[in-house]
Amino acid sequence: MRMVFCGRVNPITGSLDWIEEDENYDYHQEIARSSYADMLHDKDRNEKYYQGIRAAVKRVKERGDEAIVLDIGTGTGLLSMMAVTAGADYCYAIEVFKPMANAAEQIVKANGFGDKIKVINKHSTEVTVGPDGDMIKRANILITELFDTELIGEGALPSYEHAQHNLMQEHWEAVPHRATIYAQVVESHRLWSWNKLLPMQLDSGTIQPPPDMKSCPGAPSVCDVQLSQLKPDDFRPLSDILVVCRVDFSKQISSSTVSHIVNFTSLANGTAQVVLSWWDIDMDPEATIICSMKPSWLYPELYPVPWRDHWMQCVYFLPEETKVTQGEEVCLIAHQDDYCVWYNMTMPSAAHCHSAEIPACRCGAHIIWNRARFGELNDQSRMDKYKEALKKVLTPSSVCLCMSDGSLLPMLAHSVGASQVFTLESSSMAQQLMDKLLETNQLKETIHILQKSPDKITADDLGDRKVTALIGEPFFTTSLLPWHNLFFWYSRTALSEHLAKDCTVFPISASLNVLVVEFKDLWRIRSPCGNCEGFDVSIMDEMIKKSLDFRESQEAEPHPLWEYPCRALSDPTKLITFDFREKVPTEDIRAEGSLNLVRSGVCHGVVLWMAYELTEDISVSTGLLQVSDETGSCQWYPNRKQGVYFFSSLWNPGPTPTDSMSTVTYQLTFKPQLGDIRMSFIPKPEHSGSLNAPTDTICLH
C-alpha cells in the first residue's frame, strides 16, 4: 500500500496540516459517504427497476430477438444482475469510477454472472462497438440509473443522447421508459429566506440588503431537500401540481437547451417566490410500474411512503417575486439545458419573448453564503437574542471587534451603542460584500473592515486602541462540523495582545452537547448492504469497512437533522465546555461519564452540537431546540448542520432495545495543539452479553 502526504487546512486551528494517507483514501471515503447503501436499501426503487427490466426483456424475447443490455452507471452491478436473471443474453455494465467498477466486477463474479456481464471501466461516451471494441454488438435494452434529485443533474441527457446514437440498435427498449417532471408554484417566507437577505429590524431602524442583492437572480444550483419535513404552514400553494415535461427514453434524446411553457390559473392571492418540483419514472410503456419522488403529503393517509436520501425533492427560487391574484392566468416557464433546470414566471402573452438565460449570482452573496447561512441571517428571533445580549455588554465607549464570516453582528453592535466597530473578513469577496452592506445602510464611515487573518492584525489596524469587546456568532465558512467554529477561540488567542485587560469576549463560552438517538430513516445510509433483491453485494460492506480504518472516516458526519426525524433515547448532556475568556490551553482537556438511556428504541448513534453562552443568562443552540416529553421526538435548529456518528453496530444489524442497554459511556479529549476532539462511546448493556453490537470507538477531528 503506497502512502502519500495530503495538505489540509485545519478548520479549527486554521493551520495547514500535512497528513499521511493511503493513495486510494479519497476513493474509499467517496464510496463510504456516497448514497450506495441508501440506494441498495431503497426497496421500492429496486422492486420497480426489477419489474421494469423483466418486462423489457420479455418484450424483446417475444419479438424473437436476442436481449443485449447496456447498463450505464452500473454502480454495484445490481441492475445488470437483474437483467441477466430476467433472461437477458448478455449485459455490458459501464462504470466510470474505477473503485466502483472493480467492486461491480467482484460482485458480478461472486453471484455467478461473470460469463454474461462485462464490466467496462469507461465513460459511456468513450465506449466503442465492434470486433475489437468494448462491445461486440449494439444493445437493444438500455438500462440507466443516471438520475439525481433534479433528474438530469448527473449528465443523464448527454449520456442518453450519445448512447442512443452510438451504442444502441435502431429500435430499443428503455428502463426507465419515461420520466415526468412536476412543479408547484408557492409562496413561502421560510424557503425564500434561504435565497435573499431580508430586511432586519433593529431598535434604531432596519438593516437593508444592497440593491444588487435584492435584484440578484441568485445561485443557479437547485436546492434539494426532504420536502416531506416541511410543515403545512411553511408554504402556500399558488398553483395546482403542474406537469412540466415528459422525457421518453425509448426515443432519441436531445441535450439541447429547451423551454417548457406551462400556463396555470392562480389558486390564491399571494407572492410567487418558489417552485417545488419532483419527478416520476415509468418503468414500462403502459405506466403500470411507477417510481415516484413526490413528497409524503401527496400520498394517501396511512400509505407507506418510500424514504430516499439519494433522490429528494427540488426547491427552485424564482429570479424575482411576482404578485398574483386568485383566478389570474399566469405562465410558468421551465428552462432546461444538458445539466440543470431553472424557472421564470411571466404573463402568458409574454411567454415566448422570455429569455432562457440561466440565472447566475451578480451580487456575490450567493457565492459566499449557502442556503442555510441565508436562513440564519434572516432568523429574526435568533438575531434578537444576539441584540439583547449585546445590549448587556456594549457601551458607547466600547472598541468592538467582530470575528465571524459575513456576520450582521457589527451592525447590531453599532445599533446598540458601540461607536467604534471593526470587523474581520476572511476574503476579498467577503470584504466587498460587507462593504456594500455598510454603504447601503450608511455605516461605511462607522464600521471598519479589516481583510486580514487574526494573527496579522497590528495596532495600526485598530488605530492604536485596545479591543474592549471581541464578539462573534461564531460562524466560519470553512466549518463543516459544529466544533469547527472553535476557530473563534484560536483567533481570540491570536488577538490576545490587542485585547484590553478587562476585554469582554462574546460568546463567553461554547459547550459540546450529545444525545443518543433512534433515527426514523437516516440510519439506512450507513446500514449493511449484504443482500439486495436476492443478490449478494456484501463487497460494498467490505469496502466501506475498509474505509473506516482511515482517520478521517471516523469523524462524525454533518447532517441537517431538521430533515431527518429522530427520537431522543437519552437526555441531552453537556460533555465539555470551552471558555473563550481564557486563551486556548496548552494542556489537553478531558471529560468522561455516561449517558443514561431513558427511552426504549434502537440505538442508531449519537448527535453532537454546539451551544453558545452569549452572556450569563442568554444562550443559543446550533442543535437541539426541544424534545417531546411524550414521544422523545426532537426539534433541531434548521440553519446549521449537526454532527452525527452512527454506531458501528449498524454494520452487523439486529435491533438492540435500550431496555438491555442501560448506559453509553464516553471519554473525550480535546487536544489544543492539533485542534482535535477525540472521543470514544461504549454502549454498556445492563446484563453482560446482552448486547449484540460491537464496541464503538470514535476519533473526531
Side-chain angles (χ1 to χ4, degrees):
M1 179 172 63
R2 190 168 74 91
M3 305 300 289
V4 296
F5 283 95
C6 301
R8 296 186 180 170
V9 175
N10 187 313
I12 298 180
T13 66
S15 63
L16 179 65
D17 298 338
W18 290 93
I19 302 167
E20 191 178 31
E21 302 288 9
D22 167 27
E23 64 178 333
N24 293 320
Y25 168 78
D26 288 339
Y27 287 159
H28 293 303
Q29 294 314 301
E30 187 165 339
I31 291 171
R33 292 177 175 176
S34 69
S35 297
Y36 285 111
D38 179 33
M39 289 188 287
L40 292 171
H41 283 284
D42 188 342
K43 186 173 177 61
D44 178 72
R45 163 196 177 271
N46 296 335
E47 285 181 347
K48 300 295 176 54
Y49 260 100
Y50 208 171
Q51 293 169 17
I53 289 169
R54 286 199 302 264
V57 171
K58 182 180 178 182
R59 291 194 297 273
V60 171
K61 292 288 188 177
E62 286 177 346
R63 294 198 293 264
D65 295 335
E66 187 180 29
I68 306 298
V69 172
L70 176 63
D71 175 10
I72 302 179
T74 194
T76 61
L78 178 63
L79 301 184
S80 292
M81 293 189 292
M82 288 180 178
V84 172
T85 302
D89 296 283
Y90 201 77
C91 184
Y92 296 101
I94 300 174
E95 175 57 52
V96 68
F97 184 39
K98 186 172 178 57
M100 277 310 307
N102 293 341
E105 197 158 20
Q106 294 178 58
I107 292 169
V108 164
K109 288 179 180 177
N111 284 273
F113 297 110
D115 60 336
K116 285 201 169 187
I117 298 175
K118 180 182 179 181
V119 178
I120 303 171
N121 178 214
K122 286 185 176 181
H123 193 282
S124 62
T125 57
E126 299 172 347
V127 172
T128 57
V129 180
D132 299 320
D134 302 301
M135 298 171 59
I136 301 300
K137 61 169 66 175
R138 291 181 176 235
N140 54 12
I141 299 177
L142 178 57
I143 300 173
T144 63
E145 207 283 59
L146 298 172
F147 313 120
D148 66 351
T149 294
E150 199 173 17
L151 184 70
I152 64 173
E154 292 184 0
L157 296 183
S159 296
Y160 267 109
E161 186 175 31
H162 176 272
Q164 291 167 345
H165 270 303
N166 301 281
L167 307 177
M168 303 304 296
Q169 297 175 19
E170 185 178 356
H171 300 289
W172 66 86
E173 301 289 340
V175 182
H177 182 80
R178 75 174 64 84
T180 305
I181 296 177
Y182 300 92
Q184 185 171 35
V185 181
V186 304
E187 176 183 84
S188 173
H189 175 80
R190 176 176 178 180
L191 297 178
W192 191 247
S193 72
W194 295 351
N195 182 54
K196 299 280 188 181
L197 182 62
L198 306 177
M200 178 67 65
Q201 297 300 319
L202 303 177
D203 294 343
S204 59
T206 304
I207 296 176
Q208 292 288 348
D212 66 342
M213 196 181 296
K214 288 182 179 179
S215 62
C216 181
S221 58
V222 67
C223 178
D224 55 343
V225 298
Q226 296 281 0
L227 279 184
S228 297
Q229 299 310 312
L230 289 182
K231 298 176 182 177
D233 58 357
D234 282 334
F235 65 95
R236 184 204 302 184
L238 298 179
S239 78
D240 290 320
I241 295 170
L242 310 170
V243 174
V244 174
C245 66
R246 289 191 168 91
V247 184
D248 191 335
F249 299 119
S250 68
K251 298 178 181 177
Q252 182 61 56
I253 296 293
S254 171
S255 59
S256 301
T257 300
V258 65
S259 297
H260 307 281
I261 298 175
V262 184
N263 294 323
F264 68 92
T265 302
S266 177
L267 299 178
N269 298 333
T271 304
Q273 299 168 316
V274 175
V275 177
L276 309 181
S277 182
W278 57 90
W279 47 267
D280 292 346
I281 44 178
D282 302 331
M283 297 297 184
D284 63 328
E286 296 76 28
T288 60
I289 309 166
I290 302 174
C291 188
S292 177
M293 306 309 120
K294 64 186 178 184
S296 61
W297 24 270
L298 291 178
Y299 282 84
E301 190 175 358
L302 303 180
Y303 189 92
V305 180
W307 183 85
R308 302 179 175 92
D309 203 47
H310 54 102
W311 294 330
M312 292 187 278
Q313 294 83 37
C314 302
V315 172
Y316 295 96
F317 300 99
L318 292 168
E320 57 185 4
E321 297 175 291
T322 302
K323 293 285 186 182
V324 297
T325 57
Q326 185 175 359
E328 182 181 11
E329 292 298 316
V330 191
C331 181
L332 179 68
I333 309 175
H335 307 284
Q336 163 227 305
D337 62 14
D338 50 351
Y339 277 89
C340 62
V341 177
W342 63 100
Y343 288 88
N344 293 108
M345 283 261 300
T346 187
M347 295 298 105
S349 59
H352 294 281
C353 305
H354 211 283
S355 170
E357 181 182 356
I358 189 169
C361 176
R362 298 192 296 261
C363 69
H366 301 89
I367 299 172
I368 296 173
W369 298 333
N370 60 21
R371 308 292 190 194
R373 184 57 175 164
F374 271 104
E376 188 166 48
L377 293 172
N378 287 321
D379 186 343
Q380 183 75 52
S381 61
R382 173 180 172 277
M383 297 306 290
D384 286 344
K385 275 195 171 185
Y386 279 95
K387 182 173 61 178
E388 181 184 352
L390 286 172
K391 286 180 179 179
K392 294 176 179 287
V393 301
L394 298 183
T395 67
S397 62
S398 295
V399 178
C400 185
L401 175 61
C402 179
M403 264 298 307
S404 279
D405 287 347
S407 179
L408 301 182
L409 287 194
M411 286 174 271
L412 288 183
H414 178 267
S415 75
V416 301
S419 58
Q420 300 176 75
V421 182
F422 298 86
T423 181
L424 265 62
E425 297 299 329
S426 59
S427 68
S428 59
M429 184 172 287
Q431 179 186 12
Q432 292 169 18
L433 179 61
M434 182 58 66
D435 192 66
K436 287 191 292 186
L437 267 169
L438 297 180
E439 185 175 8
T440 300
N441 293 279
Q442 292 82 48
L443 293 171
K444 194 170 180 180
E445 302 301 321
T446 307
I447 298 174
H448 307 285
I449 305 171
L450 304 174
Q451 202 255 295
K452 286 188 173 183
S453 60
D455 58 329
K456 302 297 184 185
I457 294 295
T458 66
D460 286 343
D461 294 323
L462 300 170
D464 291 322
R465 287 164 289 189
K466 293 289 187 179
V467 174
T468 62
L470 179 67
I471 65 174
E473 301 184 46
F475 171 85
F476 301 97
T477 56
T478 54
S479 300
L480 296 175
L481 290 160
W483 43 91
H484 288 173
N485 287 310
L486 287 176
F487 179 63
F488 178 82
W489 201 11
Y490 286 81
S491 299
R492 173 258 182 271
T493 303
L495 289 163
S496 292
E497 66 177 281
H498 303 295
L499 305 184
K501 186 176 180 180
D502 58 349
C503 179
T504 296
V505 179
F506 173 106
I508 296 171
S509 63
S511 59
L512 179 62
N513 297 265
V514 69
L515 185 70
V516 182
V517 300
E518 174 185 52
F519 284 109
K520 180 183 177 184
D521 294 300
L522 187 62
W523 61 270
R524 300 175 192 273
I525 69 172
R526 294 293 171 260
S527 61
C529 312
N531 193 280
C532 182
E533 297 299 317
F535 303 105
D536 180 11
V537 292
S538 57
I539 185 63
M540 287 297 300
D541 296 337
E542 295 174 18
M543 296 183 72
I544 294 173
K545 283 180 181 178
K546 181 179 179 182
S547 75
L548 293 177
D549 293 335
F550 294 90
R551 178 188 59 81
E552 197 171 68
S553 68
Q554 294 172 344
E555 290 183 353
E557 305 171 12
H559 290 283
L561 290 188
W562 75 268
E563 295 185 57
Y564 305 108
C566 64
R567 295 176 57 246
L569 300 185
S570 71
D571 289 326
T573 303
K574 183 186 297 185
L575 300 186
I576 191 169
T577 298
F578 309 94
D579 190 345
F580 295 157
R581 292 168 294 189
E582 304 293 333
K583 296 180 183 179
V584 175
T586 56
E587 301 296 323
D588 293 352
I589 300 176
R590 294 184 173 88
E592 60 182 30
S594 60
L595 306 169
N596 294 321
L597 302 180
V598 298
R599 292 183 182 85
S600 62
V602 180
C603 290
H604 291 130
V606 298
V607 179
L608 302 109
W609 70 95
M610 299 293 276
Y612 296 99
E613 187 181 8
L614 303 182
T615 62
E616 296 290 349
D617 58 346
I618 301 175
S619 63
V620 293
S621 172
T622 64
L624 188 67
L625 300 179
Q626 186 177 347
V627 176
S628 166
D629 291 335
E630 294 183 3
T631 64
S633 60
C634 302
Q635 180 184 350
W636 298 97
Y637 182 62
N639 297 316
R640 294 272 183 110
K641 291 183 178 180
Q642 292 73 42
V644 180
Y645 176 78
F646 296 95
F647 286 136
S648 60
S649 57
L650 287 176
W651 303 121
N652 182 17
T656 305
T658 57
D659 57 13
S660 67
M661 187 194 308
S662 57
T663 62
V664 174
T665 63
Y666 63 84
Q667 291 183 328
L668 292 91
T669 303
F670 171 60
K671 304 188 77 65
Q673 302 303 317
L674 301 177
D676 288 354
I677 302 176
R678 297 182 178 177
M679 302 181 182
S680 69
F681 289 90
I682 304 176
K684 287 287 187 181
E686 187 175 336
H687 305 291
S688 178
S690 63
L691 181 63
N692 296 329
T695 295
D696 292 276
T697 301
I698 316 164
C699 179
L700 301 178
H701 301 266

